[in-house]
Amino acid sequence: MAGYYVWKSFSEDEDRQEKPRRYGVTEIRSPEYSIMRHDALQDILESIGEFVDGLKFSGGSHSLMPKDFVKEITDLAHRHDVYVSTGDWAEHLLRKGPAAFKHYVEECKNLGFDTIELNAASLKIPEESLLRFVRLIKSVGLKAKPQFSVKFEGADIPTAGNRAFGAYVAPVQRSYEFVEDVDLLIRRAERCLEAGADMIMIDADDVCKYAEDLRTDIIAKIVGRLGLEKTMFEASNAKTSEWFVKRYGPKVNLFIDHSQAMNLECLRGSKILTQLSDLTHHNHLDDLSALTL
């Protein structure tokens, strides 16, 4: 118990912020992979709600539920200081025209959602349209979280020598060949952040889906350019979460399954304790050095 008490006392130096947190965010998924009853979610939030920052309706699952039930879920989450995200469902509305997206944003706000996620790969729209969607979401007081994949369709990658955004690019035949381009991901993410996006979600595919096959080079480049505070990675298993915390510390933002939340918080706490121990040891050595002088 003594160790637990020391760990929870770190809010003074902001190594582990109190909610709402700007970094070290833990977002859990619900209820795409298992239909989660209201009482089941309540049990989860009552037991580990202190360690959960966000709840994501993955795969647009909220669109299949009665509105009253969705509102009950969002109200429950808010009582535990947990924000609620839509997941990537907006792309299914585009066939109905721009007006449908605006209606979707307004309905999400009425239902109690706090964040609207935009899957850039699934939307298949020009970059300027994506930026307009970000601004529209922000204009009604909600948070925008674009999601990017490291692979793009070949036809979406600007040709060499003409990669400037806003420049005219001659239409080319659609290609279903996917090309890895982390620099393009970063530049588009930066433009979304400039337009007001609150955070960038990185698709786990081809980056961090499997702990034994992590693309550490891509992750390092994304974090180096966008910063930890503005990026969120999906950790599909406990080993991946452990790698992220060990490599980038407790301030890394992660999207996980609810079953991993307690383990992740323990990892964040143990990392903080390790950093404090190292600092204390360093200061102790300095004190001993001063005594010898």
Side-chain angles (χ1 to χ4, degrees), residues 215-257:
R215 291 296 304 275
T216 59
D217 55 333
I218 291 176
I219 296 170
K221 198 166 190 177
I222 291 172
V223 171
R225 290 277 296 276
L226 302 180
L228 279 178
E229 186 177 327
K230 292 297 185 180
T231 53
M232 177 175 285
F233 295 92
E234 179 177 4
S236 55
N237 54 65
K239 288 184 177 180
T240 305
S241 298
E242 183 176 0
W243 181 89
F244 270 109
V245 175
K246 285 184 175 180
R247 176 63 64 92
Y248 292 105
K251 294 183 179 181
V252 65
N253 304 313
L254 295 176
F255 169 55
I256 61 171
D257 185 77

Side-chain angles (χ1 to χ4, degrees), residues 38-50:
H38 180 279
D39 55 343
L41 180 60
Q42 183 171 346
D43 289 343
I44 290 172
L45 294 180
E46 287 180 352
S47 58
I48 62 172
E50 182 181 357

